Amino acid sequence: QVQLVESGGDLVQPGGSLRLSCVTSGFTLDNYAITWFRQAPGKEREGISSISRSGAITAYADSVKGRFTISRDNSKNTVYLQMNNLKPEDTAVYYCAKAKTVFTTTLLSGNIDTWGQGTQVTVSS
């Protein structure tokens, strides 16, 4: 059974940092790009960062570029999202997702075939 399980969400003050983890199982992580999405209340789900199978290629939405860093450790079946200089507008449920095979990276939800359950990130003083 293909599974992605996020963790690391928390309440943090503006300017703070968090690292999210996405532990995968049921498939060979090396063969797939992984993307982080987020969804704030009342807003559409947004693709914010994606990483290629080897980790050599990454992509970021403009809203997080320069503040967030995606990485992966295929030996641990885990993908990470390091989030620095967090802002209140980063408050959302964060999801990791497995891309369909053909994509090197993708920020589009239509290119995803499996989603995690999400982890809540709240940025507030």
Side-chain angles (χ1 to χ4, degrees):
Q1 182 182 0
V2 175
Q3 284 191 313
L4 300 95
V5 180
E6 305 93 335
S7 63
D10 205 346
L11 170 64
V12 63
Q13 292 188 342
S17 297
L18 281 176
R19 188 176 81 157
L20 304 183
S21 298
C22 172
V23 177
T24 69
S25 61
F27 65 100
T28 302
L29 181 59
D30 311 44
N31 292 339
Y32 296 91
I34 299 293
T35 301
W36 284 95
F37 291 80
R38 67 184 181 187
Q39 187 165 22
K43 294 191 176 181
E44 291 190 357
R45 192 169 295 190
E46 172 191 19
I48 57 172
S49 186
S50 186
I51 189 166
S52 64
R53 290 172 288 180
S54 68
I57 300 170
T58 57
Y60 296 93
D62 288 344
S63 58
V64 305
K65 199 173 293 183
R67 300 188 298 123
F68 291 11
T69 303
I70 192 170
S71 62
R72 64 195 291 160
D73 185 340
N74 289 339
S75 68
K76 296 182 178 179
N77 293 321
T78 304
V79 178
Y80 304 98
L81 186 68
Q82 177 67 43
M83 306 187 295
N84 297 331
N85 190 22
L86 283 160
K87 305 175 182 180
E89 51 263 42
D90 294 318
T91 295
V93 178
Y94 284 70
Y95 301 88
C96 65
K98 172 178 163 286
K100 296 174 183 175
T101 312
V102 300
F103 296 101
T104 300
T105 61
T106 181
L107 297 180
L108 300 178
S109 59
N111 297 337
I112 298 299
D113 65 15
T114 310
W115 296 87
Q117 85 290 346
T119 186
Q120 177 70 47
V121 172
T122 303
V123 184
S124 175
S125 55

